[in-house]
Structure formats: structure tokens, C-alpha cells
Amino acid sequence: MPATLPSFKPETATDRLILPLDVATVEEARAIVQETKGVVGVYKVGMQLQFAGGLPFAEELAREGHRVFLDVKLLDIDNTVQKAVENIIRMGMHFVTIHAYPKTMRAAVAGRGEAPVCLLGVTVLTSMDTEDMKAAGYNGDVEELVKTRTIAARAAGMGGIVCSPLEVGQLRELAGPDMVLVTPGIRPAGSDAGDQKRIMTPGEAIAAGSDYLVIGRPITQAADRRAAAQAVVAEIEAAL
Ligand code: C5P
């Protein structure tokens, strides 16, 4: 990353908690933000909400002073990705995801320039295993591909990567000390895993070296969302 970019490393335990607003409407998302204000570091607006007014809502959150993660997973021709990133910067986003193809990441970095936004490379979706990748025409091992793409993300000047918490240990060295490692697939002990297969608890993920934890349903589906978020932050704090 250019020396002029700010560090995107988290400072507090709360900073490290990313809450995905994976709900059908902006009204529901707004209610979740109201309930969890101050105990969540970053709100993530992903594909579901983007198709239901999520983009103006993401800008609204940023204007209110929240850190916002726009999970758009960009992949297109270089010029389009570069121009998309230029516009996303104007929205005041803190994190933005790009599929970790080397060319695509270089285009995104050209669009970012020295703007204070952390571009995150999505190495290989954690829902994909070696069989799924083979079906898609990739014959190598998924773990090797994740490593290759992590090295490419660093070389391109990305701010970090999204990866499985189980990969953090081996990726830190390849990613270097400055890139942030963002990990979904986190489940507090005793909570329902849902469709996540390769999971770690918040404490385990922090101990493994994750910088940021994406934790959705265990918080958004809790009867008391604020208490659920506070419990996760306490577990992060204890693991630091
Ligand atoms: O509810 P849950 O904690 O499973 O939410 C995880 C979030 O992280 C979702 O928004 C999902 O889209 C996202 N994510 C993921 N695995 C990836 C990349 C993103 O679960 N590899």
C-alpha cells in the first residue's frame, strides 16, 4: 500500500466486529443499526440489501459517521472496475470487496489511488471447495489458489483479503503485517452454524490472527442483538 494511505488495522475490540446487514429491507437494516450502535465496528451492506435500496442506505450510514463495508465483490473488465471504485470512493465507503484476480485488483487499486478506502480481495469464496472449483474449470488445489491470490493481492497494493479463519495462520506471512485479514465463518460457542461449514469461535479466530470478524446471524437473529454483539466483543477483548 502507498505510505500515504491510513492504516486499516483495528484499534479496539469493537472495531473488529463487522455486522452484515443481510436483511430484506432498509427498514430492518436501520432497526438493527439502532439496536447495535456503539457495539459494532463496521456495518456490511451485501448483495441482498444492495438490491433493495442498500446503496443509498450505505451512503446514509457513512454520512452518519459509521464505518461501512460495501460487499460488492467486483469483477469486470479493468476499466469498468477502476471507474466503479472511483464512484464507490465518493460514497464514503470504508471497505470494498474485489474478486482477487490480479488484473482486476490492479484496476481497483488504480481507481482507489490514495483515497482512504480499504480494498479487500476475495480469494476463493469459502463456500467453494476443491470439487466446486474443479467443476468451474480450476484443476488445482483450493488452498494453493488462496495462497497465490493472497500474494497477488499484496503485490497489487490491496488493503487486505477476505478468507476463512482456518486459513489465517498460513496466510499472515504471505499477506505481510500491514494487510488486514477479514474472516467470516465465525460462530460463538453454542450458536447455530447455519450454512457455514468451516467455522471458528470469535476467540479462536482472533488467536489465529484475524483482524476483523464478520458475524451475522448469531447477532441479527438473537432476541437481544445488542447483548449478543456485546458478548462477542467481550470474547474478542479476552482473546487479544
Ligand atoms: O450470518 P453469517 O455470520 O454466516 O454471515 C456471514 C457473512 O459473511 C455473510 O454476509 C456472507 O455473505 C459473508 N461471507 C461469507 N463467506 C465468504 C464471504 C462472505 O460468509 N467467503
Side-chain angles (χ1 to χ4, degrees), residues 9-232:
K9 288 283 184 176
E11 285 172 10
T12 67
T14 307
D15 285 351
R16 294 174 182 261
L17 174 57
I18 300 178
L19 183 65
L21 299 169
D22 293 331
V23 288
T25 66
V26 165
E27 287 65 38
E28 287 172 75
R30 201 172 271 128
I32 294 172
V33 172
Q34 284 305 322
E35 282 173 51
T36 57
K37 244 186 211 172
V39 293
V40 161
V42 182
Y43 289 103
K44 181 167 93 69
V45 175
M47 202 178 270
Q48 183 184 6
L49 197 57
Q50 283 164 32
F51 292 117
L55 297 179
F57 178 63
E59 287 188 87
E60 175 189 316
L61 287 178
R63 273 197 307 275
E64 287 171 359
H66 295 290
R67 286 187 176 159
V68 185
F69 178 158
L70 192 63
D71 194 6
V72 270
K73 299 188 179 74
L74 295 178
L75 178 61
D76 208 314
I77 60 168
D78 301 355
N79 181 63
T80 302
V81 168
Q82 179 174 339
K83 301 296 180 199
V85 169
E86 286 172 10
N87 272 354
I88 289 169
I89 287 164
R90 292 187 200 109
M91 295 171 66
M93 300 294 100
H94 193 75
F95 290 111
V96 182
T97 43
I98 321 290
H99 278 288
Y101 289 80
K103 260 170 123 272
T104 313
M105 293 191 288
R106 287 196 294 274
V109 167
R112 177 198 67 197
E114 302 201 347
V117 59
C118 184
L119 300 180
L120 298 172
V122 178
T123 52
V124 176
L125 293 170
T126 48
S127 54
M128 302 277 203
D129 60 17
T130 298
E131 276 308 303
D132 296 318
M133 294 304 282
K134 207 172 185 180
Y138 293 84
N139 285 315
D141 180 65
V142 169
E143 283 180 19
E144 284 309 310
L145 187 55
V146 168
K147 287 184 196 165
T148 303
R149 289 182 171 176
T150 299
I151 294 167
R154 186 179 185 181
M158 298 283 282
I161 55 164
V162 182
C163 62
S164 157
L166 289 103
E167 296 161 353
V168 164
Q170 39 178 348
L171 296 184
R172 171 57 72 195
E173 204 181 344
L174 299 177
D178 297 330
M179 286 221 299
V180 301
L181 303 184
V182 177
T183 57
I186 308 290
R187 288 292 177 266
S191 62
D192 185 2
D195 54 357
Q196 295 284 9
K197 289 181 186 148
R198 303 170 66 218
I199 55 177
M200 274 194 179
T201 66
E204 286 167 350
I206 293 294
S210 291
D211 293 300
Y212 291 90
L213 310 184
V214 182
I215 310 182
R217 287 160 291 178
I219 296 173
T220 55
Q221 295 181 358
D224 184 341
R225 292 169 174 146
R226 190 170 187 84
Q230 276 167 330
V232 168

